[in-house]
Structure formats: structure tokens, C-alpha cells
Amino acid sequence: RIRLYGPHTPIKPKVAQALAIILHELTTNAAKYGGLSARHGQVELNWVAVSEHLLLLTWTETGGPAVAAPSRRGFGTQVMETLIKIDLAGELRFDWRAEGVVCEIEFQM
């Protein structure tokens, strides 16, 4: 139910730690409310090097309940935004599609 696509990409330990927390938060939300909360739901995780030092990771959920943008930013979202901005010098973008959330994470490797 989880598919991973991307080239072997070495990253620094600090980057790996921040990514682990971010992916944990996305997975928890998917299991509670999103693509992994439904029997046939799925998550696809793709990554690609945009440049020598910039990676774009895309998290896409499908097959779960209909999605709508939240009315407020929760604690988990605030943690992810802080980690991306401060620890990874990157950006976090959400697209709240009815068929499932898409999250793009662009950061320094």
C-alpha cells in the first residue's frame, strides 16, 4: 500500500532525522484520516534531485476518504513547517485534492 520511487540519494544525518519526523507525521495522518485509513488506500512517495543539492519529495495519497483543506494548522503541520524551514532550508506545500492530499517537500540535501 506504500510505493517508493526514486534514485539512491545519500543525505546527511541531520537531514535524515528531520525527514524521519516529517514522514512519521504524514504517515500518522494518512493512517488516521487519509489514504491509509481506507482498505484500498495507498501512499506513493517519489523523490528526484532538482539540482546537486536540492531534493524534491512528493507524498501522494489516494483511495482514502474525500479530503478537504483543514480549517487550522495543527501541531504536526507546525512541526513539519519548522523542520523544513529551519533544519532543511526548504519549503513544504500541500495540495488538498478531493481524492487525496499531495505534499511536496523541497529541501537542501
Side-chain angles (χ1 to χ4, degrees), residues 25 29 69-83 85 92 94 96:
E25 182 62 29
N29 287 341
S71 58
R72 64 175 186 83
R73 284 178 35 235
F75 177 73
T77 302
Q78 292 175 23
V79 168
M80 290 190 297
E81 288 173 344
T82 300
L83 285 170
K85 203 174 286 182
L92 179 70
F94 284 98
W96 303 97

Side-chain angles (χ1 to χ4, degrees), residues 4-5 9 11 26 37 39-41 60 74 78 90 95 97-98:
L4 306 172
Y5 301 101
T9 308
I11 56 176
L26 289 170
S37 70
R39 185 173 186 196
H40 298 291
T60 306
Q78 292 175 23
D95 184 359
R97 300 176 185 172

Side-chain angles (χ1 to χ4, degrees), residues 6-12 19 47-49 51-52 54-55 107 109:
H8 175 74
T9 308
I11 56 176
K12 298 173 187 167
L19 276 180
W47 62 93
V48 62
S51 69
E52 185 179 345
L54 192 64
L55 194 70
F107 60 92
M109 292 190 278

Side-chain angles (χ1 to χ4, degrees), residues 8-93:
H8 175 74
T9 308
I11 56 176
K12 298 173 187 167
K14 181 179 178 179
V15 172
Q17 183 177 18
L19 276 180
I21 294 167
I22 291 164
L23 293 174
H24 178 271
E25 182 62 29
L26 289 170
T27 303
T28 299
N29 287 341
K32 288 182 179 179
Y33 317 110
L36 298 179
S37 70
R39 185 173 186 196
H40 298 291
Q42 298 180 358
V43 169
E44 187 173 293
L45 186 60
N46 294 294
W47 62 93
V48 62
V50 176
S51 69
E52 185 179 345
H53 299 289
L54 192 64
L55 194 70
L56 174 63
L57 187 145
T58 305
W59 171 279
T60 306
E61 296 180 30
T62 56
V67 174
S71 58
R72 64 175 186 83
R73 284 178 35 235
F75 177 73
T77 302
Q78 292 175 23
V79 168
M80 290 190 297
E81 288 173 344
T82 300
L83 285 170
I84 290 294
K85 203 174 286 182
I86 294 173
D87 288 0
L88 302 180
E91 289 184 49
L92 179 70
R93 296 179 292 273

